[in-house]
Amino acid sequence: MERIAEHTRKTKETNISLTINLDGSGKQNVDTGFKFMDHMLTLLSRHGNFDITLKASGDLTHHIIEDIAITLGKCFLVALGDKKGINRYGSALIPMDESLARCVIDFCGRKALNLDLKLKEECNIEDLAVEDILHFFNSFAESAQMNLHLHILYGTNDHHKVEAAFKALARSIKEAKKIVSDEIPSTKGVL
Ligand SMILES: [Mn+2]
């Protein structure tokens, strides 16, 4: 069965159109209007080994980034379906030059977020505010109904820290979405 999800979210604030294919090969066509977001979602797809097509527009940066995260999380939830056979858990330690990111995830059906990217507050990374980047992970975890533990262990360059964090999330997703059996990976029998 194909693990594909397509969702269009149109509100008075934003217009998000997103498709993912969990069994793709890491191909992407991403246009969010924000260079840094495009950069991060492109590498999320590439290193996460899922295909993504995304077009986003809207009024305010905060709204657009938040609604992309909500839509992306929802697409993961839908594409994972009943989660039969998935590895469920994923983790990764990923460096980006002097920075090191650690990510551990569980597609368990419940949101929990433990996030510390050691970023300078009230600061921008390229064309995005740090608070919008942090909020992205919160909205994504909530919408995908997953446990997300994402930490920068050390580092100095904020661009490197965020890039390492997205790559660690990508590798964790790649591992967690993988089909490894024909059973639902829960003693409750449901995820
Ligand atoms: Mn970069």
Side-chain angles (χ1 to χ4, degrees):
M1 200 181 73
E2 280 186 324
R3 296 190 297 169
I4 293 173
E6 188 173 0
H7 189 64
T8 299
R9 180 187 165 94
K10 200 170 183 342
T11 69
K12 285 179 181 171
E13 296 173 345
T14 65
N15 191 351
I16 315 288
S17 179
L18 204 159
T19 305
I20 63 168
N21 179 1
L22 295 186
D23 301 305
S25 54
K27 292 190 294 286
Q28 61 288 137
N29 183 353
V30 173
D31 179 12
T32 67
F34 297 94
K35 286 179 186 162
F36 193 65
M37 194 78 255
D38 288 357
H39 182 29
M40 293 303 109
L41 293 176
T42 296
L43 59 84
L44 189 70
S45 153
R46 176 71 53 83
H47 295 287
N49 202 38
F50 64 92
D51 295 344
I52 182 171
T53 303
L54 168 64
K55 177 85 180 126
S57 60
D59 53 3
L60 304 174
T61 306
H62 177 89
H63 293 155
I64 298 168
I65 302 306
E66 179 178 45
D67 288 355
I68 289 169
I70 290 170
T71 309
L72 184 63
K74 188 181 170 74
C75 279
F76 265 94
L77 190 65
V78 170
L80 285 167
D82 64 5
K83 299 174 183 167
K84 190 177 174 184
I86 67 166
N87 199 45
R88 177 178 166 179
Y89 301 101
S91 61
L93 272 172
I94 298 288
M96 168 94 198
D97 295 348
E98 85 301 332
S99 296
L100 185 68
R102 180 187 63 209
C103 184
V104 186
I105 68 170
D106 179 6
F107 285 126
C108 60
R110 297 180 308 276
K111 182 238 178 160
L113 177 69
N114 194 314
L115 181 71
D116 182 8
L117 301 190
K118 291 186 165 47
L119 301 172
K120 291 184 266 308
E121 301 284 330
E122 292 170 31
C123 164
N124 272 48
I125 302 176
E126 309 299 338
D127 53 358
L128 287 187
V130 161
E131 64 174 11
D132 291 339
I133 294 168
L134 296 176
H135 191 55
F136 176 93
F137 293 109
N138 180 68
S139 299
F140 177 65
E142 188 164 290
S143 186
Q145 294 177 25
M146 69 194 287
N147 289 178
L148 172 58
H149 298 251
L150 184 55
H151 295 87
I152 291 297
L153 303 186
Y154 48 78
T156 52
N157 181 294
D158 282 352
H159 183 125
H160 292 169
K161 289 175 193 169
V162 176
E163 189 159 338
F166 268 94
K167 284 177 175 168
L169 173 60
R171 282 299 182 97
S172 301
I173 287 172
K174 182 179 180 179
E175 188 178 304
K177 75 176 172 70
K178 197 182 291 177
I179 301 291
V180 294
S181 78
D182 57 2
E183 291 175 0
I184 291 171
S186 166
T187 52
K188 285 182 290 196
V190 62
L191 272 177

